[in-house]
Amino acid sequence: MKKSPVPLLQNGLRADGRAPDQMREVNIAVGVVSNADGSAVVSYGLTTAVAAVYGPREAHPRHLALPDRGIMRVRYHMAPFSTKDERKSPTPSRREIEISKVLREALEPAVVLEQYPRSRIDVFIEILQADGSTRVASLTAASLALADAGIYMRDLVIGVSVGLVENTVVLDLNGLEDQYGEGDLPVGYMPNLRRFTLLQLDGAWTREKFLEAVGLAVKGAEYVYQKARDALKNKYMSIAEEIYGR
Amino acid sequence: MYFVTPRQLIFPGDVVATADSKVEGPVYLDNGRYRSLVVGLVEFRDDGVVIVPLEGVYKPKKGDLVVGYVTDVLATGWEVDVKSFMPAYLPVGEALHKHVDLETTPLTTFLNIGDVVVAKVKDVDLTDEYPIILTLKEDRVGKVESGTVVEIAPVKVPRVIGKKGSMLNTLMELGCDIVVGQNGRIWIRCKDAHDEVFLASIIRKIEAESHVMGLTDRVKAEIENYKRTKQQAAV
C-alpha cells in the first residue's frame, strides 16, 4: 500500500487536527431544491451531498410497478467538479451504480413502501464536493429529503463512517484517511429504533476493533441525528419567525 | 401514556404514546409503542392525540371530494389526474344520468382532455389498474366551466377548511363560490376577477403559514382590510 504524504496520526491527533472520535463540522439544510417534493443538503466537512426526492408518483414504465408496494429508485452521482485532482467523468461509473444500489437497500427498511402501491419514489443524490465518506453523507441527505417529502418513514437513517488509521479507530473519515487508512466501515443507523440498515466493511479488522468501531459509529450517528432534527425544525421555525419577528 | 406535548414538532421514529393510548394519524406500532411516521405536529383533542403531517401526497379515500383534470379519453370513460400517485378513472356510467349510445356519440362531446371536473371518489381498489374510481352522480359535482383552481399541498387542506369549517366560513365572506378538493385543489369563482386573485393569494398564505398559531385571526384581518380598501376605492 502507498504511504500517506502526511502522517495520519500524530500525538493522538489526526491530519486535520481532529481527535479520533471527533466528527468534522456537520452542516444540514432541508428544503433546498424547490422543484423537488423534498430535498436536503448535508455536508460533513468538505464532503457535500444534495438529495432531491420526487414522488410518490405513478410508476413508468407501468410493468415495473408492483401491485402491493411502491418501488424506490436511487441515483448516486458525483459531479465532474467534485473531486480534488482529476475531473471525474460524468458518466455513472461502476462504483456509482453500486453505491446507488447500496443506498437504496439502506433506505428501504426505513421507508414504508407498502403505503404507496403501484407507485415510484425517485431519490437523486448529487455529490458536489468529495472528501471521503460521500456515501454516508448521501444516506443522511436522502433520508432527510424523504422525510421532507412527507413520505412515511419508520425512522430517519443517519450515515456515518468509521475507519482504521494506524490501528486506531477513527470517526468520519476524510479523503486522505479513506485513501491511506487501513480500514473503512460505513454505517447506516436508525437512532430511534437502534437498528442498522447499512454495514459495509473493508480492510482487516480484529473483532475488538470492529466492536469499538460500531460503538463509535452509533455515537457519531446520534450527534448527526441531533443536527438533522435541528435542520428539519429550522425549516418550519423560519416561517414562524418571518411572521412574528425574532 | 403520552410522550408528547401539545403543538410539539415530531419527527419520524419519535415515540408518541404507549399502545393503550388513543392515537390517530400517520403512526405505527413498534414494541408496544406508537411512533410517528412523518414530520408533523402533535394535536391534543378530546378523544386522544392526532399527528398532523406537515408534508405529503394525497391518499384517496372513498367519499372524498376532489378536483381533477381529464388527461385521456378512453373507450368507456376518462382518465383523470387527481394529484395522487395512482391514476383515477371516471366511467361513462358514473358521469351521465341518461344512457348514451357509445357507437354513435363520441365521449369528447361530454368531457375532453384538459377539462376540469369536481368529482367524488366512489371507490378505491388497489388491485385495479385504475385504483381510483370517480363519480359525478352526486350533489355539487360536475364539469367546471369557469373560475380558478388553486393548488396547495394536500396535507394543508384541513387548514383551509378549519375547525368545524371556521376558516372556510371566513373565506366565504368575500361572497365567492369555493369548493375544496381533498386532493389539494381548490376551485374558486367570484363575481369580481380581482376578488378571485386576492382569494387565491389568501389560500396560498394559509398553506405557507398553516402551522403558525393565530392563522384564522390573521386571515380575518386581511380579508376585512381588503374589503375596506375596496369599498373606499368604490367611493
Short mmCIF file of all heavy atoms in Angstrom, two decimals, chain A residues 56-58 62 112 115-119 147-155 192-193 195 225 229 232-233 235-236 239-240 243-244, chain B residues 9 11-14 26 28 30 35-39 54-57 59 85-87 126-129 208-209 211-213 218:
data_model
loop_
_atom_site.label_atom_id
_atom_site.label_comp_id
_atom_site.label_asym_id
_atom_site.label_seq_id
_atom_site.Cartn_x
_atom_site.Cartn_y
_atom_site.Cartn_z
N PRO A 56 -44.21 10.15 -3.96
CA PRO A 56 -44.52 9.05 -4.87
C PRO A 56 -45.33 9.51 -6.07
O PRO A 56 -46.18 10.37 -5.94
CB PRO A 56 -45.33 8.10 -4.00
CG PRO A 56 -45.83 8.93 -2.88
CD PRO A 56 -44.86 10.01 -2.67
N ARG A 57 -44.99 8.99 -7.23
CA ARG A 57 -45.74 9.32 -8.44
C ARG A 57 -46.01 8.03 -9.19
O ARG A 57 -45.46 6.98 -8.85
CB ARG A 57 -44.98 10.32 -9.29
CG ARG A 57 -43.53 9.98 -9.55
CD ARG A 57 -42.85 11.17 -10.20
NE ARG A 57 -41.43 10.93 -10.46
CZ ARG A 57 -40.61 11.86 -10.91
NH1 ARG A 57 -41.04 13.07 -11.14
NH2 ARG A 57 -39.34 11.59 -11.13
N GLU A 58 -46.84 8.15 -10.23
CA GLU A 58 -47.20 6.95 -10.98
C GLU A 58 -45.95 6.31 -11.56
O GLU A 58 -45.07 6.99 -12.07
CB GLU A 58 -48.16 7.32 -12.12
CG GLU A 58 -49.58 7.52 -11.65
CD GLU A 58 -50.48 7.98 -12.77
OE1 GLU A 58 -50.35 7.45 -13.89
OE2 GLU A 58 -51.31 8.87 -12.53
N ARG A 62 -45.03 1.13 -16.80
CA ARG A 62 -46.02 0.52 -15.93
C ARG A 62 -45.64 -0.89 -15.46
O ARG A 62 -46.02 -1.30 -14.36
CB ARG A 62 -47.38 0.45 -16.66
CG ARG A 62 -48.12 1.78 -16.61
CD ARG A 62 -49.35 1.69 -15.72
NE ARG A 62 -49.97 3.00 -15.55
CZ ARG A 62 -51.07 3.38 -16.19
NH1 ARG A 62 -51.69 2.54 -16.99
NH2 ARG A 62 -51.57 4.57 -16.00
N VAL A 112 -41.82 3.20 4.34
CA VAL A 112 -42.98 2.31 4.35
C VAL A 112 -43.53 2.24 2.93
O VAL A 112 -44.50 2.90 2.59
CB VAL A 112 -44.05 2.81 5.34
CG1 VAL A 112 -45.12 1.75 5.54
CG2 VAL A 112 -43.43 3.14 6.67
N GLN A 115 -47.23 1.55 1.70
CA GLN A 115 -48.24 2.62 1.70
C GLN A 115 -48.45 3.20 0.30
O GLN A 115 -49.40 3.94 0.09
CB GLN A 115 -47.79 3.74 2.64
CG GLN A 115 -48.01 3.45 4.09
CD GLN A 115 -49.46 3.63 4.47
OE1 GLN A 115 -50.22 4.32 3.80
NE2 GLN A 115 -49.87 2.98 5.54
N TYR A 116 -47.56 2.89 -0.62
CA TYR A 116 -47.62 3.53 -1.94
C TYR A 116 -47.64 2.50 -3.07
O TYR A 116 -46.73 2.46 -3.89
CB TYR A 116 -46.44 4.49 -2.12
CG TYR A 116 -46.30 5.47 -0.99
CD1 TYR A 116 -45.34 5.29 0.00
CD2 TYR A 116 -47.15 6.56 -0.90
CE1 TYR A 116 -45.23 6.19 1.05
CE2 TYR A 116 -47.04 7.45 0.14
CZ TYR A 116 -46.08 7.27 1.12
OH TYR A 116 -45.97 8.15 2.16
N PRO A 117 -48.70 1.64 -3.14
CA PRO A 117 -48.72 0.61 -4.17
C PRO A 117 -48.77 1.21 -5.57
O PRO A 117 -49.33 2.29 -5.77
CB PRO A 117 -49.99 -0.17 -3.85
CG PRO A 117 -50.82 0.73 -3.02
CD PRO A 117 -49.87 1.60 -2.27
N ARG A 118 -48.17 0.50 -6.53
CA ARG A 118 -48.17 0.89 -7.95
C ARG A 118 -47.48 2.23 -8.19
O ARG A 118 -47.73 2.88 -9.20
CB ARG A 118 -49.59 0.98 -8.50
CG ARG A 118 -50.29 -0.36 -8.61
CD ARG A 118 -51.72 -0.18 -8.99
NE ARG A 118 -52.44 -1.42 -8.84
CZ ARG A 118 -52.51 -2.35 -9.78
NH1 ARG A 118 -51.90 -2.17 -10.93
NH2 ARG A 118 -53.17 -3.46 -9.56
N SER A 119 -46.67 2.69 -7.26
CA SER A 119 -46.05 4.00 -7.49
C SER A 119 -44.54 3.89 -7.39
O SER A 119 -43.99 2.83 -7.11
CB SER A 119 -46.57 5.01 -6.47
OG SER A 119 -46.04 4.72 -5.21
N ALA A 147 -38.02 12.41 4.32
CA ALA A 147 -38.88 12.91 5.40
C ALA A 147 -39.47 14.26 5.02
O ALA A 147 -40.63 14.54 5.32
CB ALA A 147 -38.06 13.03 6.69
N ASP A 148 -38.69 15.08 4.34
CA ASP A 148 -39.16 16.40 3.91
C ASP A 148 -40.27 16.28 2.87
O ASP A 148 -41.14 17.15 2.77
CB ASP A 148 -37.97 17.20 3.36
CG ASP A 148 -38.36 18.60 2.94
OD1 ASP A 148 -39.18 19.21 3.67
OD2 ASP A 148 -37.87 19.09 1.92
N ALA A 149 -40.23 15.18 2.09
CA ALA A 149 -41.28 14.97 1.09
C ALA A 149 -42.55 14.42 1.73
O ALA A 149 -43.55 14.25 1.05
CB ALA A 149 -40.78 14.01 0.01
N GLY A 150 -42.51 14.13 3.03
CA GLY A 150 -43.69 13.62 3.71
C GLY A 150 -43.93 12.15 3.48
O GLY A 150 -45.02 11.65 3.74
N ILE A 151 -42.93 11.45 2.97
CA ILE A 151 -43.06 10.01 2.76
C ILE A 151 -42.96 9.30 4.10
O ILE A 151 -42.11 9.66 4.93
CB ILE A 151 -41.98 9.53 1.76
CG1 ILE A 151 -42.34 10.07 0.37
CG2 ILE A 151 -41.86 8.02 1.74
CD1 ILE A 151 -41.22 10.08 -0.61
N TYR A 152 -43.85 8.32 4.32
CA TYR A 152 -43.89 7.62 5.61
C TYR A 152 -42.58 6.88 5.86
O TYR A 152 -42.15 6.05 5.07
CB TYR A 152 -45.05 6.62 5.65
CG TYR A 152 -46.41 7.25 5.77
CD1 TYR A 152 -46.57 8.62 5.73
CD2 TYR A 152 -47.55 6.47 5.95
CE1 TYR A 152 -47.82 9.21 5.85
CE2 TYR A 152 -48.81 7.04 6.06
CZ TYR A 152 -48.93 8.42 6.01
OH TYR A 152 -50.16 8.99 6.13
N MET A 153 -41.96 7.21 7.00
CA MET A 153 -40.69 6.56 7.36
C MET A 153 -40.75 6.10 8.80
O MET A 153 -41.25 6.82 9.67
CB MET A 153 -39.53 7.53 7.19
CG MET A 153 -39.25 7.92 5.78
SD MET A 153 -37.93 9.10 5.72
CE MET A 153 -36.51 8.03 5.82
N ARG A 154 -40.20 4.92 9.05
CA ARG A 154 -40.19 4.40 10.43
C ARG A 154 -39.22 5.18 11.29
O ARG A 154 -39.39 5.29 12.49
CB ARG A 154 -39.84 2.92 10.41
CG ARG A 154 -40.90 2.10 9.70
CD ARG A 154 -40.59 0.62 9.67
NE ARG A 154 -41.65 -0.07 8.95
CZ ARG A 154 -41.59 -0.35 7.66
NH1 ARG A 154 -40.52 -0.02 6.95
NH2 ARG A 154 -42.60 -0.96 7.05
N ASP A 155 -38.18 5.70 10.66
CA ASP A 155 -37.17 6.48 11.37
C ASP A 155 -36.29 7.15 10.32
O ASP A 155 -36.31 6.76 9.16
CB ASP A 155 -36.33 5.57 12.27
CG ASP A 155 -35.59 6.34 13.37
OD1 ASP A 155 -35.60 7.58 13.32
OD2 ASP A 155 -35.03 5.69 14.25
N ASN A 192 -33.68 6.15 16.56
CA ASN A 192 -34.79 5.87 17.46
C ASN A 192 -35.00 4.37 17.67
O ASN A 192 -35.28 3.92 18.77
CB ASN A 192 -36.09 6.48 16.93
CG ASN A 192 -36.16 7.96 17.20
OD1 ASN A 192 -36.05 8.38 18.34
ND2 ASN A 192 -36.31 8.74 16.15
N LEU A 193 -34.90 3.64 16.59
CA LEU A 193 -35.15 2.19 16.65
C LEU A 193 -33.89 1.42 17.02
O LEU A 193 -33.95 0.23 17.30
CB LEU A 193 -35.68 1.70 15.30
CG LEU A 193 -36.98 2.37 14.84
CD1 LEU A 193 -37.37 1.87 13.44
CD2 LEU A 193 -38.11 2.09 15.80
N ARG A 195 -31.44 0.47 15.12
CA ARG A 195 -31.19 -0.62 14.18
C ARG A 195 -30.28 -0.12 13.07
O ARG A 195 -30.29 1.05 12.72
CB ARG A 195 -32.51 -1.11 13.57
CG ARG A 195 -33.28 -1.98 14.55
CD ARG A 195 -34.63 -2.34 14.01
NE ARG A 195 -35.52 -2.58 15.14
CZ ARG A 195 -36.84 -2.53 15.08
NH1 ARG A 195 -37.43 -2.26 13.95
NH2 ARG A 195 -37.57 -2.76 16.15
N TYR A 225 -27.66 13.01 14.14
CA TYR A 225 -29.12 12.98 14.23
C TYR A 225 -29.68 14.24 14.88
O TYR A 225 -30.68 14.79 14.43
CB TYR A 225 -29.56 11.73 15.01
CG TYR A 225 -31.07 11.60 15.15
CD1 TYR A 225 -31.88 11.51 14.03
CD2 TYR A 225 -31.67 11.58 16.40
CE1 TYR A 225 -33.25 11.40 14.15
CE2 TYR A 225 -33.04 11.46 16.53
CZ TYR A 225 -33.83 11.37 15.40
OH TYR A 225 -35.19 11.27 15.52
N ARG A 229 -32.31 16.81 13.15
CA ARG A 229 -33.58 17.26 13.75
C ARG A 229 -33.66 18.78 13.76
O ARG A 229 -34.69 19.37 13.43
CB ARG A 229 -33.70 16.75 15.19
CG ARG A 229 -34.03 15.30 15.30
CD ARG A 229 -34.04 14.90 16.75
NE ARG A 229 -35.24 15.36 17.42
CZ ARG A 229 -36.30 14.58 17.68
NH1 ARG A 229 -36.27 13.33 17.30
NH2 ARG A 229 -37.34 15.05 18.28
N LEU A 232 -34.50 20.09 10.31
CA LEU A 232 -35.92 19.94 9.97
C LEU A 232 -36.75 20.98 10.73
O LEU A 232 -37.66 21.59 10.18
CB LEU A 232 -36.41 18.54 10.32
CG LEU A 232 -36.12 17.43 9.32
CD1 LEU A 232 -36.42 16.07 9.92
CD2 LEU A 232 -36.91 17.62 8.03
N LYS A 233 -36.41 21.16 12.00
CA LYS A 233 -37.12 22.13 12.84
C LYS A 233 -36.97 23.52 12.24
O LYS A 233 -37.93 24.28 12.14
CB LYS A 233 -36.51 22.10 14.24
CG LYS A 233 -37.49 22.39 15.35
CD LYS A 233 -36.82 22.26 16.70
CE LYS A 233 -37.03 20.90 17.33
NZ LYS A 233 -36.32 20.75 18.60
N LYS A 235 -36.61 24.53 9.23
CA LYS A 235 -37.41 24.82 8.05
C LYS A 235 -38.76 25.42 8.44
O LYS A 235 -39.24 26.35 7.80
CB LYS A 235 -37.61 23.54 7.24
CG LYS A 235 -38.34 23.81 5.95
CD LYS A 235 -38.72 22.57 5.21
CE LYS A 235 -39.74 22.90 4.15
NZ LYS A 235 -40.22 21.73 3.43
N TYR A 236 -39.36 24.89 9.52
CA TYR A 236 -40.68 25.36 9.89
C TYR A 236 -40.62 26.56 10.82
O TYR A 236 -41.49 27.41 10.81
CB TYR A 236 -41.47 24.20 10.51
CG TYR A 236 -41.66 23.12 9.49
CD1 TYR A 236 -40.87 21.98 9.50
CD2 TYR A 236 -42.58 23.28 8.47
CE1 TYR A 236 -41.00 21.03 8.52
CE2 TYR A 236 -42.72 22.33 7.49
CZ TYR A 236 -41.92 21.20 7.52
OH TYR A 236 -42.04 20.27 6.53
N ILE A 239 -40.42 30.06 8.99
CA ILE A 239 -41.67 30.67 8.53
C ILE A 239 -42.33 31.40 9.69
O ILE A 239 -42.83 32.52 9.53
CB ILE A 239 -42.62 29.60 7.95
CG1 ILE A 239 -41.91 28.79 6.88
CG2 ILE A 239 -43.85 30.26 7.36
CD1 ILE A 239 -42.68 27.61 6.38
N ALA A 240 -42.31 30.80 10.88
CA ALA A 240 -42.92 31.42 12.05
C ALA A 240 -42.20 32.72 12.39
O ALA A 240 -42.83 33.72 12.76
CB ALA A 240 -42.87 30.46 13.23
N ILE A 243 -43.17 35.74 10.39
CA ILE A 243 -44.46 36.36 10.73
C ILE A 243 -44.36 37.16 12.02
O ILE A 243 -44.82 38.29 12.10
CB ILE A 243 -45.54 35.27 10.86
CG1 ILE A 243 -45.67 34.54 9.52
CG2 ILE A 243 -46.87 35.88 11.25
CD1 ILE A 243 -46.32 33.20 9.65
N TYR A 244 -43.75 36.54 13.04
CA TYR A 244 -43.75 37.18 14.35
C TYR A 244 -42.50 38.00 14.63
O TYR A 244 -42.44 38.70 15.64
CB TYR A 244 -43.91 36.12 15.44
CG TYR A 244 -45.26 35.48 15.44
CD1 TYR A 244 -45.40 34.10 15.37
CD2 TYR A 244 -46.41 36.26 15.51
CE1 TYR A 244 -46.65 33.51 15.37
CE2 TYR A 244 -47.66 35.68 15.50
CZ TYR A 244 -47.78 34.32 15.43
OH TYR A 244 -49.01 33.75 15.42
N LEU B 9 -43.36 19.73 17.62
CA LEU B 9 -42.91 19.21 16.33
C LEU B 9 -42.41 17.79 16.54
O LEU B 9 -41.67 17.52 17.48
CB LEU B 9 -41.80 20.12 15.79
CG LEU B 9 -41.52 20.13 14.30
CD1 LEU B 9 -42.78 20.49 13.52
CD2 LEU B 9 -40.42 21.12 13.98
N PHE B 11 -40.87 14.00 14.72
CA PHE B 11 -40.10 13.50 13.59
C PHE B 11 -40.30 12.00 13.43
O PHE B 11 -40.72 11.33 14.37
CB PHE B 11 -38.61 13.82 13.80
CG PHE B 11 -38.34 15.28 13.93
CD1 PHE B 11 -38.13 15.86 15.16
CD2 PHE B 11 -38.35 16.10 12.81
CE1 PHE B 11 -37.90 17.22 15.29
CE2 PHE B 11 -38.14 17.46 12.92
CZ PHE B 11 -37.91 18.02 14.15
N PRO B 12 -39.98 11.46 12.22
CA PRO B 12 -40.17 10.02 12.03
C PRO B 12 -39.42 9.22 13.09
O PRO B 12 -38.25 9.51 13.38
CB PRO B 12 -39.59 9.77 10.64
CG PRO B 12 -39.69 11.07 9.95
CD PRO B 12 -39.52 12.12 11.00
N GLY B 13 -40.08 8.24 13.68
CA GLY B 13 -39.44 7.38 14.67
C GLY B 13 -39.63 7.84 16.09
O GLY B 13 -39.37 7.08 17.02
N ASP B 14 -40.08 9.07 16.31
CA ASP B 14 -40.29 9.57 17.68
C ASP B 14 -41.44 8.83 18.34
O ASP B 14 -42.47 8.58 17.72
CB ASP B 14 -40.61 11.07 17.66
CG ASP B 14 -39.38 11.90 17.35
OD1 ASP B 14 -38.33 11.30 17.10
OD2 ASP B 14 -39.49 13.14 17.36
N PRO B 26 -50.65 9.42 10.90
CA PRO B 26 -49.60 8.51 10.43
C PRO B 26 -48.66 8.06 11.56
O PRO B 26 -47.66 8.71 11.84
CB PRO B 26 -48.86 9.34 9.38
CG PRO B 26 -49.21 10.74 9.66
CD PRO B 26 -50.51 10.78 10.39
N TYR B 28 -47.16 4.21 13.67
CA TYR B 28 -47.09 2.75 13.60
C TYR B 28 -46.73 2.20 14.97
O TYR B 28 -46.21 2.93 15.82
CB TYR B 28 -46.09 2.29 12.54
CG TYR B 28 -44.64 2.58 12.87
CD1 TYR B 28 -43.78 1.56 13.30
CD2 TYR B 28 -44.12 3.87 12.76
CE1 TYR B 28 -42.45 1.83 13.59
CE2 TYR B 28 -42.81 4.13 13.05
CZ TYR B 28 -41.97 3.12 13.46
OH TYR B 28 -40.66 3.38 13.74
N ASP B 30 -44.61 -0.22 17.35
CA ASP B 30 -43.33 -0.91 17.42
C ASP B 30 -43.06 -1.21 18.89
O ASP B 30 -42.94 -0.30 19.70
CB ASP B 30 -42.23 -0.01 16.84
CG ASP B 30 -40.86 -0.58 17.06
OD1 ASP B 30 -40.49 -1.52 16.33
OD2 ASP B 30 -40.16 -0.10 17.97
N ARG B 35 -45.17 5.10 17.25
CA ARG B 35 -44.12 6.02 16.79
C ARG B 35 -44.62 6.76 15.55
O ARG B 35 -45.41 6.23 14.77
CB ARG B 35 -42.86 5.24 16.42
CG ARG B 35 -42.10 4.69 17.63
CD ARG B 35 -40.91 3.85 17.15
NE ARG B 35 -40.23 3.20 18.25
CZ ARG B 35 -39.24 3.75 18.95
NH1 ARG B 35 -38.83 4.97 18.65
NH2 ARG B 35 -38.67 3.09 19.92
N SER B 36 -44.15 7.98 15.37
CA SER B 36 -44.58 8.80 14.23
C SER B 36 -43.93 8.29 12.95
O SER B 36 -42.81 7.77 12.95
CB SER B 36 -44.21 10.25 14.46
OG SER B 36 -44.51 11.01 13.32
N LEU B 37 -44.64 8.44 11.83
CA LEU B 37 -44.10 8.08 10.51
C LEU B 37 -43.67 9.31 9.73
O LEU B 37 -43.09 9.19 8.65
CB LEU B 37 -45.17 7.33 9.70
CG LEU B 37 -45.42 5.86 10.04
CD1 LEU B 37 -46.71 5.40 9.39
CD2 LEU B 37 -44.27 4.99 9.57
N VAL B 38 -43.97 10.50 10.25
CA VAL B 38 -43.75 11.71 9.46
C VAL B 38 -43.20 12.85 10.32
O VAL B 38 -43.17 12.76 11.54
CB VAL B 38 -45.07 12.22 8.84
CG1 VAL B 38 -45.57 11.28 7.77
CG2 VAL B 38 -46.11 12.44 9.92
N VAL B 39 -42.78 13.92 9.62
CA VAL B 39 -42.53 15.18 10.30
C VAL B 39 -43.90 15.83 10.48
O VAL B 39 -44.61 16.05 9.50
CB VAL B 39 -41.62 16.10 9.46
CG1 VAL B 39 -41.35 17.39 10.21
CG2 VAL B 39 -40.33 15.39 9.13
N LEU B 54 -46.86 17.50 8.09
CA LEU B 54 -46.57 18.81 7.51
C LEU B 54 -46.31 18.74 6.01
O LEU B 54 -46.33 19.76 5.34
CB LEU B 54 -45.37 19.44 8.22
CG LEU B 54 -45.65 19.92 9.65
CD1 LEU B 54 -44.36 20.25 10.37
CD2 LEU B 54 -46.56 21.12 9.65
N GLU B 55 -46.02 17.55 5.50
CA GLU B 55 -45.83 17.37 4.06
C GLU B 55 -46.47 16.05 3.67
O GLU B 55 -46.75 15.22 4.54
CB GLU B 55 -44.33 17.31 3.68
CG GLU B 55 -43.45 18.36 4.28
CD GLU B 55 -43.50 19.67 3.52
OE1 GLU B 55 -44.06 19.69 2.41
OE2 GLU B 55 -43.00 20.66 4.06
N GLY B 56 -46.67 15.86 2.38
CA GLY B 56 -47.15 14.55 1.93
C GLY B 56 -48.06 14.62 0.73
O GLY B 56 -48.55 15.68 0.38
N VAL B 57 -48.26 13.44 0.12
CA VAL B 57 -49.10 13.36 -1.07
C VAL B 57 -50.55 13.08 -0.69
O VAL B 57 -50.84 12.73 0.45
CB VAL B 57 -48.63 12.25 -2.04
CG1 VAL B 57 -47.37 12.65 -2.73
CG2 VAL B 57 -48.50 10.93 -1.33
N LYS B 59 -53.70 10.91 -0.42
CA LYS B 59 -54.07 9.49 -0.36
C LYS B 59 -55.59 9.42 -0.49
O LYS B 59 -56.31 9.82 0.42
CB LYS B 59 -53.66 8.91 0.98
CG LYS B 59 -52.19 8.67 1.09
CD LYS B 59 -51.95 7.35 1.85
CE LYS B 59 -50.48 7.08 1.98
NZ LYS B 59 -49.82 8.06 2.82
N PHE B 85 -50.74 9.44 -6.42
CA PHE B 85 -49.71 8.62 -7.07
C PHE B 85 -50.33 7.48 -7.86
O PHE B 85 -49.63 6.64 -8.39
CB PHE B 85 -48.70 8.09 -6.04
CG PHE B 85 -49.34 7.43 -4.86
CD1 PHE B 85 -49.60 6.08 -4.88
CD2 PHE B 85 -49.67 8.17 -3.73
CE1 PHE B 85 -50.19 5.47 -3.79
CE2 PHE B 85 -50.26 7.56 -2.65
CZ PHE B 85 -50.52 6.21 -2.67
N MET B 86 -51.67 7.46 -7.90
CA MET B 86 -52.36 6.44 -8.67
C MET B 86 -53.31 7.13 -9.66
O MET B 86 -53.84 8.19 -9.35
CB MET B 86 -53.17 5.54 -7.74
CG MET B 86 -52.32 4.87 -6.69
SD MET B 86 -53.26 3.83 -5.58
CE MET B 86 -54.11 5.03 -4.59
N PRO B 87 -53.53 6.51 -10.84
CA PRO B 87 -54.44 7.14 -11.81
C PRO B 87 -55.91 6.92 -11.42
O PRO B 87 -56.26 5.91 -10.82
CB PRO B 87 -54.10 6.42 -13.11
CG PRO B 87 -53.54 5.11 -12.71
CD PRO B 87 -52.90 5.29 -11.37
N LEU B 126 -57.05 -1.12 -4.75
CA LEU B 126 -55.64 -1.12 -5.14
C LEU B 126 -55.29 -2.23 -6.13
O LEU B 126 -54.25 -2.18 -6.76
CB LEU B 126 -54.77 -1.24 -3.89
CG LEU B 126 -54.89 -0.06 -2.93
CD1 LEU B 126 -54.07 -0.30 -1.69
CD2 LEU B 126 -54.46 1.24 -3.60
N THR B 127 -56.18 -3.22 -6.28
CA THR B 127 -55.87 -4.31 -7.21
C THR B 127 -56.24 -3.94 -8.64
O THR B 127 -55.86 -4.62 -9.58
CB THR B 127 -56.61 -5.59 -6.82
OG1 THR B 127 -58.02 -5.31 -6.83
CG2 THR B 127 -56.21 -6.07 -5.44
N ASP B 128 -57.01 -2.85 -8.80
CA ASP B 128 -57.46 -2.45 -10.12
C ASP B 128 -56.35 -1.72 -10.86
O ASP B 128 -55.48 -1.12 -10.24
CB ASP B 128 -58.68 -1.53 -9.95
CG ASP B 128 -59.67 -1.71 -11.08
OD1 ASP B 128 -59.20 -1.72 -12.24
OD2 ASP B 128 -60.87 -1.84 -10.80
N GLU B 129 -56.42 -1.74 -12.20
CA GLU B 129 -55.43 -0.99 -12.97
C GLU B 129 -55.62 0.50 -12.74
O GLU B 129 -54.66 1.26 -12.68
CB GLU B 129 -55.53 -1.35 -14.45
CG GLU B 129 -54.26 -0.97 -15.20
CD GLU B 129 -54.36 -1.21 -16.69
OE1 GLU B 129 -55.11 -2.11 -17.10
OE2 GLU B 129 -53.70 -0.46 -17.43
N ALA B 208 -48.81 28.34 3.41
CA ALA B 208 -47.44 28.60 3.87
C ALA B 208 -47.36 28.72 5.39
O ALA B 208 -46.37 28.33 5.99
CB ALA B 208 -46.92 29.88 3.21
N GLU B 209 -48.41 29.27 6.02
CA GLU B 209 -48.32 29.56 7.46
C GLU B 209 -49.22 28.65 8.28
O GLU B 209 -49.57 28.99 9.42
CB GLU B 209 -48.70 31.03 7.69
CG GLU B 209 -47.82 32.00 6.93
CD GLU B 209 -48.31 33.43 7.02
OE1 GLU B 209 -49.25 33.68 7.77
OE2 GLU B 209 -47.74 34.28 6.33
N HIS B 211 -48.92 26.11 10.10
CA HIS B 211 -48.53 25.58 11.41
C HIS B 211 -48.24 26.69 12.41
O HIS B 211 -47.77 26.42 13.50
CB HIS B 211 -47.32 24.67 11.25
CG HIS B 211 -46.17 25.37 10.62
ND1 HIS B 211 -46.15 25.68 9.30
CD2 HIS B 211 -45.03 25.87 11.15
CE1 HIS B 211 -45.03 26.32 9.02
NE2 HIS B 211 -44.34 26.46 10.12
N VAL B 212 -48.46 27.95 12.04
CA VAL B 212 -48.23 29.06 12.96
C VAL B 212 -49.55 29.44 13.62
O VAL B 212 -50.57 29.54 12.96
CB VAL B 212 -47.63 30.28 12.22
CG1 VAL B 212 -47.23 31.34 13.20
CG2 VAL B 212 -46.43 29.85 11.41
N MET B 213 -49.49 29.64 14.94
CA MET B 213 -50.72 29.91 15.70
C MET B 213 -51.39 31.21 15.27
O MET B 213 -50.75 32.11 14.77
CB MET B 213 -50.37 30.02 17.20
CG MET B 213 -49.80 28.76 17.77
SD MET B 213 -51.07 27.83 18.61
CE MET B 213 -50.79 28.38 20.28
N ARG B 218 -55.42 36.22 11.59
CA ARG B 218 -54.65 36.99 10.60
C ARG B 218 -55.39 37.03 9.27
O ARG B 218 -55.45 38.07 8.61
CB ARG B 218 -53.26 36.39 10.42
CG ARG B 218 -52.32 36.62 11.57
CD ARG B 218 -50.87 36.50 11.14
NE ARG B 218 -50.59 35.18 10.57
CZ ARG B 218 -50.39 34.09 11.29
NH1 ARG B 218 -50.45 34.15 12.60
NH2 ARG B 218 -50.13 32.94 10.72
#
